[in-house]
């Protein structure tokens, strides 16, 4: 199984960018989010390993370097380090949280455990408005997540901002173009974070903001066309926007050399198969194959309750079904998948970086080693909002582009506990009601993801004069810009009441509905 080459297809678009920023990944779950914020400023960026050498950085010649946060303490044995020569390249550097600590210690400063840790929102007082804080008010709201901090009065550095418990919340070096932030400017919980990052890119790195998503599309299409040649690509369709945009992008590159395969695994949403067939018959003239695989998937999931094991088995079953069907397609050599940045980072697979694995994604974490295709994942460097924009540029209809995300493992990871046809059918009906009511209320576009979850919990209820002991359905609705962080949607009580009433009345075996009000972090969007 080959992964380096398909990642290169996505990254190669950046190689023609006039301006580029490197993000060194020290294990932060927000490394990809930093990249998104940089791209919002129309500056292309790439995430690289933290141990990249100064010589390699000099070859790439980026306009700037950003050191991500990370879970370690810089003074711990084995903590990830940075090549100290990078700070002597005369390339602007911005360290964020752990990255700040690395920069300060590499240049002679001191970092130690803080007497008062900061996790969550914190008010930062800006003491110098030059460079990073140009146009920023004296007091800003930020998001902190640290137990260590730079010692006050660290030699060689000038303090730019502080909090009540953190005297060094932002710094710059006295003579080198090295800056650091204790807070996280990349998360939405820091409202002016994009302004601070923008100031680094424009005021410090002197970037002009010339990169556009269309440049990515043009280069990706050219790279796919060159790589595939006269061979054939097969693409798995799920009904979601990711696979649809992947198919559209590859179709632009190779046209009739693309074959699409829809595996009906029994884990799809209600009427999903019919919808996909209808959409891709109308909007694409591709060679579409539909595989009936429900029995195979349910057999693989029988007795399995662990979410990671579910994902592995679904991934293996998917590839088996896909491979069997693809074997019937002459010249099929490549497998295209709609893997996105969040899939990669949460699977701990970003350029072999050190980020912790939150979950296995069947696109990036559950594939067998003997896969008989070379992978093409042209979207793996993009965020969801970028994918939607790209889909519209490629001519996809809005009803496809704005469809809420659906996990690769399907309803299996929304059916907590045992997975069988009866429970899946219950969940399918409940989920359809939730989405129908959200659309009827005109909230589908203003929410980012809405779905039902079937819990392995039964509770006592009363229906008519009879006692019941039935299932519980949880409703999940979130609002997010990037799917790396998310807030629960404040749906109207009347809408929640209608959803609850309909689910209990219309879905057999359910007598209780609850609403999930957890944000990400600390929770994830999906329950498994």
């Amino acid at each position: 199984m080959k992964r380096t080459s398909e990642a290169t297809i996505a990254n190669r678009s950046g190689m023609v960018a006039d301006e580029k920023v490197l993000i060194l990944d020290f294990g932060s779950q927000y490394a990809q989010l930093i990249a998104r914020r940089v791209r919002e400023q129309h500056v292309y960026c790439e995430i690289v390993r933290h141990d990249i050498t100064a010589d390699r950085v000099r070859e790439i010649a980026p306009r700037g370097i950003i050191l991500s946060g990370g879970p370690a303490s810089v003074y711990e044995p084995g903590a990830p380090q940075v090549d100290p020569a990078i700070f002597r390249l005369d390339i602007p550097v911005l360290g964020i949280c752990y990255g700040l600590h690395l920069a300060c210690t590499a240049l002679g400063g001191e970092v130690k455990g803080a007497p008062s840790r900061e996790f969550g929102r914190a008010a930062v007082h800006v003491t110098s408005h030059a460079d990073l804080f140009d146009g920023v008010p004296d007091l800003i709201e930020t998001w902190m997540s640290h137990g260590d901090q730079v010692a006050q009065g660290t030699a060689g550095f000038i303090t730019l901002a502080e909090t009540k418990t953190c005297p060094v919340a932002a710094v710059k070096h006295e003579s080198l173009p090295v800056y650091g932030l204790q807070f996280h400017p990349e998360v939405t919980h820091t409202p002016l974070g994009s302004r601070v990052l923008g100031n680094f890119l424009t005021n410090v790195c002197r970037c002009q903001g010339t990169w556009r998503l269309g440049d990515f599309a043009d280069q990706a299409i050219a790279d796919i066309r060159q790589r595939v040649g006269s061979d054939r690509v097969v693409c798995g369709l799920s009904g979601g926007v990711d696979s649809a945009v992947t198919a559209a992008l590859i179709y632009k590159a190779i046209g009739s050399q693309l074959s699409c395969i829809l595996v009906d695994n029994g884990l799809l949403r209600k009427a999903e198969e019919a919808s996909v067939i209808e959409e891709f018959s109308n909007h694409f003239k591709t060679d579409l194959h539909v595989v009936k695989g429900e029995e195979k998937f349910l057999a693989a999931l029988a007795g399995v309750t662990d979410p990671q094991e579910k994902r592995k088995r679904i991934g293996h079953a998917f590839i088996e079904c896909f491979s069997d069907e693809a074997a019937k397609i002459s010249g099929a050599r490549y497998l295209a998948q709609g893997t996105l940045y969040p899939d990669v980072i949460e699977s701990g697979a970003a350029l072999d970086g050190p980020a912790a694995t939150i979950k296995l994604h069947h696109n990036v974490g559950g594939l067998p080693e003997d896969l008989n295709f070379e992978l093409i994942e042209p979207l793996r460097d993009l965020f969801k909002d970028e994918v939607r924009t790209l889909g519209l540029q490629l001519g996809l209809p809005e009803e496809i582009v704005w469809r809420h995300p659906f996990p690769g493992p399907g309803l299996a990871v929304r059916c907590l506990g045992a997975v069988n046809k009866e429970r899946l059918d219950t969940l399918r009906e409940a989920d359809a009601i939730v989405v129908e009511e959200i659309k009827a209320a005109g909230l589908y576009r203003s929410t980012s993801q809405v779905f039902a979850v079937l819990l392995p919990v039964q509770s006592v209820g009363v229906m008519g004069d009879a006692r019941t002991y039935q299932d519980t359905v949880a409703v999940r609705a979130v609002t997010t810009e990037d799917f790396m962080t998310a807030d629960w949607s404040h749906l109207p009580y009347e809408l929640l009441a209608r959803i609850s009433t309909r689910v209990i009345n219309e879905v057999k075996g359910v007598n209780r509905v609850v609403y999930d009000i957890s944000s990400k972090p600390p929770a994830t969007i999906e329950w498994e």
Side-chain angles (χ1 to χ4, degrees):
M1 181 174 62
K2 300 180 180 179
R3 288 196 175 277
T4 302
S5 53
E6 80 275 4
T8 302
I9 281 184
N11 287 336
R12 199 175 292 161
S13 61
M15 301 304 286
V16 299
D18 294 330
E19 302 172 336
K20 183 186 300 181
V21 168
L22 295 183
I23 300 170
L24 276 58
D25 179 13
F26 291 91
S28 171
Q29 297 299 337
Y30 299 138
Q32 308 284 352
L33 188 49
I34 299 171
R36 181 184 181 278
R37 298 300 184 215
V38 171
R39 291 186 197 173
E40 286 177 348
Q41 311 287 336
H42 299 296
V43 176
Y44 187 80
C45 59
E46 293 181 359
I47 295 178
V48 297
R49 289 181 57 92
H50 65 83
D51 53 3
I52 187 172
T53 65
D55 288 340
R56 177 58 182 148
V57 171
R58 187 184 292 108
E59 291 176 5
I60 297 172
R63 288 291 185 91
I65 299 168
I66 298 177
L67 311 180
S68 82
S73 293
V74 292
Y75 47 77
E76 291 177 346
Q81 299 297 317
V82 63
D83 184 346
I86 284 175
F87 300 108
R88 305 290 180 178
L89 295 176
D90 199 33
I91 298 173
V93 176
L94 175 65
I96 297 175
C97 196
Y98 184 82
L100 160 68
H101 301 165
L102 281 170
C104 287
T105 53
L107 295 173
E110 181 184 3
V111 172
K112 54 186 178 181
S116 180
R117 301 183 302 171
E118 289 180 308
F119 293 96
R121 287 180 171 85
V124 167
H125 177 236
V126 178
T127 56
S128 174
H129 290 273
D131 298 336
L132 292 186
F133 297 104
D134 181 33
V136 174
D138 292 341
L139 196 65
I140 61 173
E141 182 180 336
T142 68
W143 183 263
M144 293 281 193
S145 182
H146 68 99
D148 298 330
Q149 62 186 32
V150 177
Q152 190 171 12
T154 289
F157 285 89
I158 301 169
T159 299
L160 306 178
E162 62 188 15
T163 73
K164 290 182 178 180
T165 59
C166 180
V168 184
V171 298
K172 67 174 293 186
H173 195 269
E174 292 177 344
S175 59
L176 300 173
V178 177
Y179 296 76
L181 301 172
Q182 184 60 75
F183 61 88
H184 288 270
E186 70 273 24
V187 301
T188 55
H189 303 307
T190 301
L192 292 177
S194 290
R195 178 63 182 267
V196 174
L197 281 175
N199 283 339
F200 173 70
L201 296 171
T202 56
N203 297 345
V204 181
C205 301
R206 304 301 177 189
C207 292
Q208 301 298 313
T210 58
W211 184 78
R212 296 294 185 274
L213 189 59
D215 300 335
F216 167 88
D218 292 342
Q219 189 64 41
I221 288 170
D223 287 340
I224 292 169
R225 186 177 294 140
Q226 180 180 10
R227 180 183 176 198
V228 171
S230 60
D231 290 319
R232 198 165 193 82
V233 176
V234 290
C235 178
L237 293 177
S238 66
V241 61
D242 303 341
S243 62
V245 174
T246 298
L249 185 64
I250 294 175
Y251 187 79
K252 287 282 187 181
I254 60 172
S256 60
Q257 292 169 244
L258 172 68
S259 292
C260 293
I261 298 176
L262 169 64
V263 177
D264 182 1
N265 54 15
L267 308 173
L268 302 177
R269 289 170 286 199
K270 186 175 182 179
E272 191 80 72
E273 178 186 341
S275 174
V276 172
I277 293 173
E278 173 67 18
E279 287 166 356
F280 283 88
S281 295
N282 289 339
H283 301 292
F284 292 96
K285 304 301 179 184
T286 57
D287 177 32
L288 178 61
H289 300 243
V290 179
V291 179
K292 300 292 186 179
E294 181 180 39
E295 291 185 5
K296 184 181 187 69
F297 280 81
L298 291 182
L301 291 169
V304 178
T305 59
D306 179 75
Q308 299 291 62
E309 185 63 25
K310 286 181 184 179
R311 290 175 181 273
K312 287 181 180 179
R313 294 195 181 201
I314 290 168
H316 293 163
F318 171 79
I319 290 299
E320 288 179 14
C321 289
F322 200 97
S323 299
D324 289 345
E325 188 64 28
K328 305 173 185 177
I329 302 172
S330 177
R333 177 182 174 187
Y334 297 95
L335 166 62
Q337 294 189 141
T339 306
L340 305 190
Y341 250 2
D343 301 329
V344 173
I345 191 64
E346 292 193 342
S347 301
L351 297 182
D352 296 322
T357 298
I358 294 176
K359 62 185 180 182
L360 287 177
H361 188 281
H362 82 278
N363 282 358
V364 292
L367 295 176
E369 291 299 323
D370 59 349
L371 183 64
N372 293 320
F373 298 100
E374 290 186 43
L375 289 177
I376 295 179
E377 295 174 311
L379 308 182
R380 73 182 277 132
D381 277 358
L382 299 186
F383 290 92
K384 182 70 72 173
D385 60 324
E386 293 176 319
V387 171
R388 294 193 195 282
T389 300
L390 180 60
L392 293 173
Q393 290 178 357
L394 294 170
L396 284 169
E398 289 196 1
E399 57 267 26
I400 295 178
V401 171
W402 290 105
R403 179 173 290 167
H404 283 187
F406 188 61
L411 295 180
V413 292
R414 294 177 180 174
C415 184
L416 274 60
V419 179
N420 55 52
K421 182 170 176 54
E422 181 181 5
R423 298 192 77 223
L424 288 168
D425 287 342
T426 297
L427 176 56
R428 231 184 306 270
E429 293 299 322
D431 184 73
I433 291 172
V434 171
V435 174
E436 182 180 321
E437 287 295 336
I438 292 291
K439 288 181 176 179
L443 296 176
Y444 191 74
R445 286 282 293 272
S446 61
T447 52
S448 304
Q449 197 166 348
V450 178
F451 55 90
V453 179
L454 183 61
L455 306 183
V457 174
Q458 291 187 316
S459 62
V460 174
V462 177
M463 291 183 174
D465 293 325
R467 176 186 181 275
T468 62
Y469 192 65
Q470 296 180 332
D471 291 330
T472 301
V473 165
V475 176
R476 180 72 158 145
V478 300
T479 303
T480 177
E481 294 181 358
D482 45 60
F483 290 85
M484 295 300 292
T485 61
D487 289 322
W488 62 278
S489 300
H490 294 236
L491 300 181
Y493 291 156
E494 295 80 5
L495 173 58
L496 291 173
R498 284 197 301 274
I499 291 173
S500 177
T501 299
R502 283 197 59 192
V503 169
I504 291 173
N505 287 345
E506 299 176 28
V507 181
K508 184 180 179 181
V510 176
N511 69 353
R512 192 177 298 271
V513 174
V514 298
Y515 188 50
D516 183 352
I517 59 169
S518 306
S519 294
K520 175 186 179 181
T524 55
I525 295 176
E526 296 289 344
W527 278 47
E528 288 191 339

